[in-house]
């Protein structure tokens, strides 16, 4: 608190005042403070405090460029002086005074909107238990809001419960609805979205019962967030859109800002990034218009995340750094956690693993400091992904398993699903197919529990691939067909093309070439329809393989030739080398050894350039056969002996057997 006599003595410079608070004279009148009777106030110490109140409210003139806190300093300082003389009613009137801001909030709530979460706590403490139960309920509720922002969820819940008990005791339905909704937010923060939905539904019922449209909009938005966490996007979208319409109807700019951000996230999940960006920018503009710092931080972070998905990493980092700065300024631990994690992802995608791991570890450290188990689990998954990319598989598995354990403890089913999916994918890459199957069976069960058809289609395909690796082709076909059925049900054309290719591979493995070709042709048609060059190239390559296996070499050449320019367009150098090698093999089978050798030499040159020893060995082995047919026996022996050395070096036993057989069959006289 400033000196009592700051405005008693000395002439102050007259500076243009920003009219956020009502005129000082009208405030004094509302407080029933009459400056003309100042001299009659006794004792002198009390009179001094009243004089300071009058001077702060009538003479303080903040600069236009001052902070928001400075612009309301007159009310805050007057509040403290009134508390010193135990004028609790007058002090509370100042705290609850309506300001002329875009949101037209009371002073104590406006501080939260501006991003000041600690300052209100000190003000509340001075009048807590000094007035009436309703004021205490409001204070406890806002205590909870501050601690929710700080990431101390247990303390937030404690204060929300205390506020709720008072609200129910005095029959204040609005505060009761607010407390129930805030409890829902806290339990959602703990990863318990099911419990959050229960609280939000109870909050919404009360808001509708008392016909408070503004509160109803907030309840709908919060309910939508919980449905979003449970992957119930249809319900989430319905709630968000209803909330936005109500916010616009009642003119609540801050809640409109938040509803726009939520809809943006939903559009992003629905693969509509441009629509998401549009909503995020509208949310950001509103946040800046009303000075809502936390909402500004959230909108900037969301823009950063969408630019990561669009692989526009410099823009993403710019938005996320700005968001992180605001999160630090307002003390938002959750904002810092999420921005650090997203920055880690941006650096991760750019291959800057050192900066990525620093961001991920800082996010993890912060989550542990505030005991945010939900975010701790997520940060561990991100670190695990980085370890997986850098081939530190043991550490990756440890992180995923820790993440899974925490997710199970806090009943975060989507978190469990994510950890298990990452574990399953890594086990599959390490040829631990049995462990991969165990993980994917569990992810499939969770996705069914959450009614997430998109995820079910993916996990069924993962299971098919794992059984394919185990050479259990009947099981693989069963899972691929289940995946295909779901993807047809949800009109996932890209997913259909992918699983059709896998289904074709399984049929090809059991020499059902006609069915394999049917699958590949359908996959090709879809890939061309959706203009997916990668899927088109893969389908053509697989078609070539199936036709080659069924001895339709002319058709195989046609497919490989169509695949080659697509691989080149995609800058898939390894794929280009394989396509060239396949063309060589097909021409060899047709007896066109000149063309066969030409394509094999091109394939060998690329495989050497990219240092792919396996491909070099295979290509040299095939060149040995082609050169033998051309009666260039010396060159054939050189190619086969070089292939043999590579096979021994890399342990390619099956290719080595083939090389040895061809060496044995070389004519001895030449």
């Amino acid at each position: 608190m400033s000196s009592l006599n700051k405005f008693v003595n000395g002439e102050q410079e007259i500076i243009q005042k920003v009219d956020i608070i009502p005129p000082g004279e009208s405030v004094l009148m509302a407080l029933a403070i009459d400056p003309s009777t100042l001299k009659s106030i006794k004792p002198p110490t009390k009179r001094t405090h009243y004089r300071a109140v009058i001077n702060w409210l009538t003479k303080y003139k903040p600069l236009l460029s001052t902070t928001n806190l400075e612009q309301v300093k007159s009310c805050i300082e007057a509040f403290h002086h009134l508390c010193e003389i135990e004028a609790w009613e007058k002090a509370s009137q100042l705290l609850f005074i309506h300001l002329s801001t875009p949101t037209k909030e009371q002073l104590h709530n406006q501080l939260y909107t501006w991003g000041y979460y600690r300052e209100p706590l000190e003000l509340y403490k001075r009048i807590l238990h000094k007035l009436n139960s309703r004021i205490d309920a409001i204070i406890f509720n806002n205590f909870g809001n501050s601690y929710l922002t700080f990431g101390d969820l247990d303390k937030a819940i404690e204060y929300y419960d205390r506020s709720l008990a008072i609200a129910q005791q005095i029959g204040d339905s609005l505060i009761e609805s607010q407390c129930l909704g805030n409890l829902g937010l806290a339990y959602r923060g703990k990863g318990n979205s099911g419990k959050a939905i229960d609280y939000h539904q109870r909050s919404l019922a009360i808001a509708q019962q008392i016909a408070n449209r503004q509160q109803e909009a907030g309840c709908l938005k919060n309910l939508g967030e919980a449905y979003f966490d449970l992957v119930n996007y249809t319900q989430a979208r319905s709630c968000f859109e209803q909330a936005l319409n109500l916010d616009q109807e009642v003119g609540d700019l801050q809640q409109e800002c938040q509803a726009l951000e939520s809809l943006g996230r939903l559009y992003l999940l629905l693969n509509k990034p441009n629509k998401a960006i549009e909503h995020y920018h509208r949310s950001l503009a509103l946040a800046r218009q009303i000075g809502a710092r936390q909402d500004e931080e959230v909108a900037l972070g969301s823009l950063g995340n969408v630019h990561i998905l669009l692989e526009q990493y410099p823009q993403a980092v710019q938005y996320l750094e700005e968001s992180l700065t605001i999160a630090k300024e307002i003390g938002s631990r959750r904002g810092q956690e999420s921005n650090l994690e997203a920055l880690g992802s941006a650096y991760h995608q750019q291959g800057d693993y050192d900066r990525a791991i620093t961001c991920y570890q800082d996010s993890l450290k912060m989550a542990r400091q505030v005991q945010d188990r939900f975010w701790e689990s997520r940060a561990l998954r991100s670190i695990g992904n980085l370890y997986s990319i850098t081939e530190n598989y043991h550490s990756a598995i440890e992180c995923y398993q820790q993440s899974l354990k925490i997710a199970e403890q806090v009943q975060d089913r989507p978190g469990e699903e994510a950890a298990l999916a990452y574990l399953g994918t890594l086990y599959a890459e390490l040829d631990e197919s049995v462990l991969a199957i165990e993980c994917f069976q569990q992810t499939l069960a969770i996705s069914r529990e959450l009614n997430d058809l998109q995820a079910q289609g993916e996990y069924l395909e993962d299971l098919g691939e794992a059984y394919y690796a185990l050479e259990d082709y009947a099981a693989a076909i069963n899972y691929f067909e289940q995946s295909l059925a779901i993807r047809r049900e949800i009109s996932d054309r890209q997913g259909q093309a992918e699983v059709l290719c896998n289904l074709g591979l399984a049929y090809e493995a059991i020499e059902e070439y006609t069915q394999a070709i049917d699958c590949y042709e359908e996959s090709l048609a879809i890939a061309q329809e959706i203009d997916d060059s990668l899927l088109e190239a893969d389908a053509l390559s697989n078609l070539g393989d199936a036709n080659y296996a069924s001895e339709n070499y002319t058709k195989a050449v046609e497919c490989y030739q169509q695949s080659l320019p697509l691989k080149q367009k995609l800058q898939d150098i390894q794929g280009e080398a394989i396509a060239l090698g396949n063309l060589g093999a097909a021409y060899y089978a047709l007896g066109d050894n000149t063309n066969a050798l030409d394509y094999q030499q091109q394939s060998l040159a690329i495989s050497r350039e990219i240092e792919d020893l396996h491909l070099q060995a295979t290509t040299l082995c095939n060149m040995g056969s082609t050169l033998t047919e051309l009666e260039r026996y010396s060159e054939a022996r050189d190619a086969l002996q070089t292939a043999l050395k590579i096979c021994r070096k890399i342990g390619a036993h099956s290719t080595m057997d083939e090389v040895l057989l061809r060496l044995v069959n070389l004519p001895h006289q030449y």
Side-chain angles (χ1 to χ4, degrees):
M1 186 172 62
S2 301
S3 168
L4 296 180
N5 296 315
K6 181 172 180 180
F7 288 106
V8 175
N9 302 311
E11 187 175 330
Q12 300 297 311
E13 182 182 359
I14 304 300
I15 304 169
Q16 182 181 4
K17 185 176 180 179
V18 183
D19 295 325
I20 286 179
I21 62 173
E25 291 75 12
S26 66
V27 176
L28 289 172
M29 187 178 297
L31 295 175
I33 298 175
D34 185 354
S36 66
T37 63
L38 185 62
K39 292 182 180 180
S40 64
I41 297 175
K42 294 179 182 180
T45 53
K46 186 176 182 180
R47 182 166 61 248
T48 302
H49 281 290
Y50 270 113
R51 181 182 293 113
V53 170
I54 293 167
N55 286 333
W56 273 109
L57 292 175
T58 60
K59 296 185 178 181
Y60 178 71
K61 297 174 175 61
L63 289 165
L64 264 173
S65 58
T66 57
T67 64
N68 289 323
L69 196 59
E70 286 291 322
Q71 292 187 39
V72 294
K73 186 176 182 180
S74 60
C75 285
I76 292 174
E77 292 294 337
F79 167 86
H80 284 302
H81 284 293
L82 290 168
C83 288
E84 288 297 313
I85 55 176
E86 299 184 1
W88 309 119
E89 185 65 39
K90 288 180 171 58
S92 70
Q93 284 180 260
L94 280 177
L95 204 55
F96 289 83
I97 193 171
H98 283 274
L99 303 180
S100 297
T101 58
T103 54
K104 304 186 186 307
E105 291 177 279
Q106 294 174 339
L107 171 59
H108 68 118
N109 286 330
Q110 186 66 54
L111 291 173
Y112 283 102
T113 297
W114 284 333
Y116 299 111
Y117 295 97
R118 297 192 183 278
E119 287 78 1
L121 297 181
E122 298 307 313
L123 302 177
Y124 291 141
K125 287 175 184 177
R126 301 211 68 173
I127 62 170
L128 183 62
H129 303 313
K130 304 297 184 184
L131 291 157
N132 56 57
S133 296
R134 184 175 184 278
I135 297 295
D136 288 347
I138 292 171
I139 290 173
F140 283 136
N141 187 43
N142 283 344
F143 272 178
N145 291 339
S146 287
Y147 285 110
L148 184 68
T149 300
F150 302 152
D152 192 339
L153 301 178
D154 289 332
K155 188 165 280 190
I157 288 170
E158 175 190 337
Y159 281 115
Y160 289 143
D161 279 334
R162 293 173 72 176
S163 179
L164 178 62
I166 296 172
Q168 290 173 334
Q169 182 182 356
I170 64 176
D172 192 312
S173 298
L174 177 58
I175 297 177
E176 181 181 1
S177 175
Q178 291 169 343
C179 291
L180 288 167
N182 289 335
L183 279 164
L185 294 176
Y187 280 107
R188 175 173 172 254
K190 282 178 163 284
N192 193 337
S193 296
K195 194 167 186 177
I197 285 176
D198 177 60
Y199 277 112
H200 290 317
Q201 287 175 334
R202 289 164 61 190
S203 175
L204 176 62
I206 294 173
Q208 291 171 334
Q209 181 183 341
I210 62 176
N212 188 315
R213 304 285 274 171
Q214 186 176 27
Q215 176 65 12
E216 182 181 351
C219 295
L220 284 164
K221 187 262 182 188
N222 292 337
L223 186 57
E225 295 287 0
Y227 281 128
F228 184 94
D229 289 344
L230 293 176
V231 203
N232 189 339
Y233 299 135
T234 302
Q235 283 283 70
R237 181 172 184 172
S238 174
C239 289
F240 292 152
E241 289 178 343
Q242 290 180 70
L244 180 60
N245 290 335
L246 283 173
D247 291 329
Q248 292 170 338
E249 177 186 316
V250 301
D252 189 323
L253 297 180
Q254 185 171 21
Q255 288 195 167
E256 180 182 350
C257 162
Q258 294 168 354
L260 285 165
E261 196 280 332
S262 297
L263 276 168
R265 260 184 303 115
L266 186 62
Y267 281 122
L268 191 59
L269 259 293
L270 297 175
N271 199 29
K272 296 180 179 179
N274 292 331
K275 197 82 170 166
I277 289 173
E278 175 196 334
H279 281 72
Y280 289 149
H281 276 299
R282 287 171 63 190
S283 177
L284 179 61
L286 275 177
R288 286 173 169 167
Q289 176 186 335
I290 63 178
R293 295 288 279 163
Q294 186 174 33
D295 294 321
E296 181 182 1
E297 175 253 308
V298 171
L300 287 165
S302 297
L303 282 165
N305 282 313
V306 74
H307 282 290
I308 288 175
L309 289 177
L310 293 173
E311 299 182 2
Q312 297 168 347
Y313 302 117
Q315 298 97 311
V317 169
Q318 183 178 343
Y319 281 120
L320 292 168
E321 290 283 9
E322 191 175 350
S323 181
L324 179 60
T325 298
I326 295 174
K328 289 177 178 177
E329 288 175 1
I330 66 177
S332 172
R333 293 293 187 92
R334 189 170 295 278
Q336 291 175 64
E337 288 171 358
S338 61
N339 282 303
L340 284 165
E341 198 272 342
L343 276 168
S345 178
Y347 291 129
H348 184 162
Q349 297 299 325
Q350 294 179 88
D352 190 345
Y353 300 137
D354 289 338
R355 294 178 78 174
I357 196 69
T358 297
C359 289
Y360 287 150
Q361 288 175 338
D362 286 347
S363 179
L364 177 62
K365 182 180 178 181
M366 185 160 291
R368 285 173 170 167
Q369 283 176 348
V370 300
Q371 298 181 334
D372 186 343
R373 303 284 280 164
F374 177 85
W375 203 268
E376 181 182 358
S377 175
R378 177 169 175 162
L380 282 164
R381 293 196 296 274
S382 295
I383 294 171
N385 290 342
L386 189 58
Y387 282 138
S388 181
I389 286 280
T390 55
E391 299 183 4
N392 187 348
Y393 300 125
H394 178 72
S395 295
I397 289 170
E398 281 190 341
C399 286
Y400 294 147
Q401 288 175 336
Q402 288 179 54
S403 172
L404 175 61
K405 184 177 180 180
I406 294 169
E408 288 172 341
Q409 290 171 348
V410 299
Q411 300 176 31
D412 174 16
R413 296 295 274 166
E416 289 180 55
E417 179 186 349
L420 285 163
Y422 288 135
L423 271 171
T425 301
L426 183 52
Y427 283 135
E429 290 176 4
L430 297 174
D431 293 325
E432 296 282 358
S433 298
V434 174
L435 291 174
I437 287 169
E438 290 178 9
C439 292
F440 290 135
Q441 290 285 13
Q442 292 179 72
T443 60
L444 179 61
I446 295 172
S447 66
R448 283 172 171 163
E449 176 188 321
L450 299 176
N451 196 31
D452 185 349
L453 291 176
Q454 182 78 37
Q456 288 174 46
E458 292 170 7
Y459 299 139
L460 286 164
E461 184 175 9
D462 290 333
L463 282 163
E465 290 174 351
Y467 278 107
Y468 181 92
L470 291 174
E471 299 182 7
D472 186 345
Y473 302 120
I477 289 170
N478 177 39
Y479 281 112
F480 289 145
E481 287 180 338
Q482 289 185 62
S483 174
L484 180 60
I486 287 178
R487 283 164 164 173
R488 283 173 172 160
E489 179 184 344
I490 62 176
S491 301
D492 177 5
R493 299 294 277 165
Q494 183 178 24
Q496 290 172 49
E498 290 173 357
V499 78
L500 279 163
C501 269
N502 279 328
L503 189 56
L505 290 171
Y507 279 124
E508 194 174 342
I510 58 175
E511 300 182 3
E512 293 285 353
Y513 299 122
T514 301
Q515 287 175 282
I517 288 170
D518 287 344
C519 290
Y520 295 145
E521 286 180 341
E522 187 178 351
S523 177
L524 176 61
I526 295 171
Q528 291 170 337
E529 172 196 322
I530 64 177
D531 194 26
D532 190 319
S533 297
L534 178 59
L535 283 173
E536 183 179 359
D538 288 343
L540 284 165
S541 295
N542 291 334
L543 260 176
D545 292 344
N547 279 289
Y548 182 95
S550 57
E551 301 182 1
N552 188 346
Y553 303 122
T554 302
K555 184 66 176 178
V557 166
E558 179 187 328
C559 293
Y560 292 143
Q561 285 178 332
Q562 291 179 61
S563 170
L564 180 59
L566 289 170
K567 296 290 186 182
Q568 293 167 333
K569 172 187 172 184
L570 293 164
Q571 298 183 333
D572 179 0
I573 299 175
Q574 184 184 47
E576 180 183 354
I578 292 170
L580 288 163
N582 287 339
L583 276 165
Y587 275 114
Y588 175 83
L590 286 169
D592 187 345
N593 294 307
T594 302
N595 267 323
L597 183 61
D598 178 50
Y599 282 114
Q600 288 163 352
Q601 287 172 331
Q602 291 181 62
S603 177
L604 180 62
I606 294 174
S607 64
R608 282 174 170 165
E609 178 186 336
I610 63 176
E611 299 180 354
D612 187 331
L613 293 177
H614 285 278
L615 188 54
Q616 287 177 47
T618 300
T619 305
L620 284 163
C621 180
N622 290 336
M623 282 180 66
S625 296
T626 306
L627 288 163
T628 300
E629 291 296 321
L630 291 169
E631 300 183 359
R632 293 161 60 174
Y633 302 123
S634 177
E635 293 174 70
R637 182 172 294 278
D638 289 343
L640 290 169
Q641 286 179 336
T642 303
L644 185 60
K645 289 178 183 178
I646 295 172
C647 288
R648 285 172 174 161
K649 179 179 180 180
I650 63 177
H653 300 294
S654 60
T655 305
M656 183 161 49
D657 291 343
E658 186 65 30
V659 170
L660 288 168
L661 179 63
R662 296 183 188 188
L663 275 169
V664 169
N665 290 330
L666 265 177
H668 293 289
Q669 301 295 324
Y670 51 87

